[in-house]
Amino acid sequence: MLVLAFDTATPAVTVALHDGARVLGESTTIDARRHGELLVPAIQRVLREAGVALGDADAIVAGTGPGPYTGLRVGLMTAQALSAVTGVPAYGVCSLDAVAYGSGLTEPFLVLTDARRKEVFWARYTGPRTRVEGPSVCHPEDVPGGLPVIGAGARMYAAVLGEDRLRDGTPDHPMAASLAALAAERLASGERDGTLTEPRPIYLRRPDARVPGPPKKVTA
């Protein structure tokens, strides 16, 4: 089984190809402003280095967020477009699930990513594969207490959350290698358990952009 996975829900533009047993190739660039510019060349590079054509993939998987509106849509629209062109089925996986899976933690914990506006996206897990609450968005001081925290949002607001709750050696962002491995595992077992969904974005609030209002009247 060949799974092509990518995520653009955070500053990490990350792509990986997984054969069901191991990662065949991966690429990650941290750049919050160039998702649209970086994603497709990264996909092409990973496929080329693995010696695989896009049509050889058995599944295309994209991170569904939550994340900033523009970056998140780059990955999901790319997944839908590639699926339409090749006929390869496309799936979505919550980006926070990829952070959790990559952490390797077996104790209950929270994943937090930066939601901007001085807020965080978060979800609660009982292990690397099992999300039991969220995703949600709130201010750091409103995040549930008492559990270890991981992810870029946790590091960003460590002073609010508590430095002792941070777990070192865990990923700050969702990595495509973890996204692909988790999806391959679920596809092989046939037990999606809510992990695999349609490649649709998880929006937890309205986008920052607004439709311009009518021009103000100017009087003499």
Side-chain angles (χ1 to χ4, degrees):
M1 174 183 294
L2 285 176
V3 176
L4 174 67
F6 41 85
D7 193 288
T8 57
T10 72
V13 181
T14 178
V15 180
L17 185 69
H18 200 284
D19 69 356
R22 63 188 180 90
V23 174
L24 301 180
E26 60 182 310
S27 171
T28 298
T29 302
I30 309 298
D31 192 325
R33 298 181 180 276
R34 299 171 63 211
H35 295 89
E37 179 181 345
L38 295 171
L39 179 58
V40 172
I43 292 172
Q44 293 172 331
R45 183 168 59 254
V46 167
L47 291 172
R48 182 172 61 250
E49 292 175 355
V52 172
L54 177 61
D56 294 333
D58 296 295
I60 297 169
V61 177
T64 57
Y69 182 85
T70 303
L72 178 57
R73 286 185 64 84
V74 168
L76 289 165
M77 292 181 70
T78 299
Q80 293 172 20
L82 295 180
S83 176
V85 169
T86 63
V88 176
Y91 303 94
V93 172
C94 175
S95 300
L96 302 183
D97 290 356
V99 180
Y101 189 83
S103 74
L105 296 177
T106 56
E107 60 184 317
F109 61 95
L110 303 177
V111 173
L112 286 75
T113 59
D114 180 22
R116 302 179 183 176
R117 303 185 192 175
K118 298 181 180 180
E119 293 181 325
V120 292
F121 297 120
W122 67 273
R124 182 166 64 94
Y125 296 80
T126 56
R129 296 172 175 81
T130 308
R131 172 164 38 99
V132 293
E133 184 178 1
S136 302
V137 61
C138 68
H139 292 289
E141 57 268 27
D142 296 324
V143 170
L147 292 176
V149 292
I150 67 171
R155 297 191 186 282
M156 183 177 297
Y157 296 104
V160 175
L161 299 165
E163 298 277 358
D164 59 320
R165 297 175 65 187
L166 292 176
R167 290 295 180 269
D168 294 330
T170 55
D172 283 344
H173 305 297
M175 294 291 103
S178 297
L179 195 71
L182 177 59
E185 185 178 287
R186 294 303 191 201
L187 287 167
S189 68
E191 298 179 3
R192 299 184 184 183
D193 194 28
T195 301
L196 293 175
T197 64
E198 294 293 320
R200 306 286 185 188
I202 298 173
Y203 291 140
L204 299 181
R205 65 185 185 202
R206 297 178 64 84
D208 293 329
R210 294 288 185 272
V211 176
K216 293 182 179 180
K217 293 183 180 180
V218 178
T219 58

